[in-house]
Amino acid sequence: MAKPDNRADNAEHLQEHIANTQQNIQETEQYLNEFSSEISSTEQNQLEEKNERRRESVAEFEEELADEEG
């Protein structure tokens, strides 16, 4: 038998995803600030691109959160 679809805590999960993703962005920015002279430009570009994808994810999570709360 299928599990019932319980969406009661979706908003809470989305808020956790947003917070975790924002923390990852900040940690990567700190890493880049501290070690940019020690890492290759390729790695630096990869990390910057990863952060951009994270920012896009945060925006999507926020839209979904607004729908859940709304």
Side-chain angles (χ1 to χ4, degrees):
M1 182 168 196
K3 246 176 122 174
D5 190 11
N6 182 1
R7 297 174 182 245
D9 58 354
N10 276 3
E12 182 179 326
H13 286 277
L14 287 167
Q15 288 171 337
E16 289 174 11
H17 291 314
I18 291 168
N20 290 339
T21 304
Q22 288 174 330
Q23 181 177 352
N24 288 338
I25 291 169
Q26 291 173 349
E27 289 173 1
T28 300
E29 287 175 347
Q30 286 177 325
Y31 177 83
L32 287 170
N33 287 335
E34 291 179 35
F35 300 104
S36 63
S37 62
E38 300 173 28
I39 61 175
S40 69
S41 61
T42 301
E43 183 179 359
Q44 195 169 0
N45 287 338
Q46 289 172 340
L47 291 171
E48 289 170 353
E49 289 172 4
K50 190 170 194 170
N51 262 3
E52 184 56 36
R53 290 189 302 274
R54 287 174 172 152
R55 286 183 186 93
E56 291 169 4
S57 292
V58 167
E60 291 170 9
F61 288 145
E62 288 173 339
E63 285 179 24
E64 194 172 340
L65 180 61
D67 287 344
E68 284 291 324
E69 292 177 336

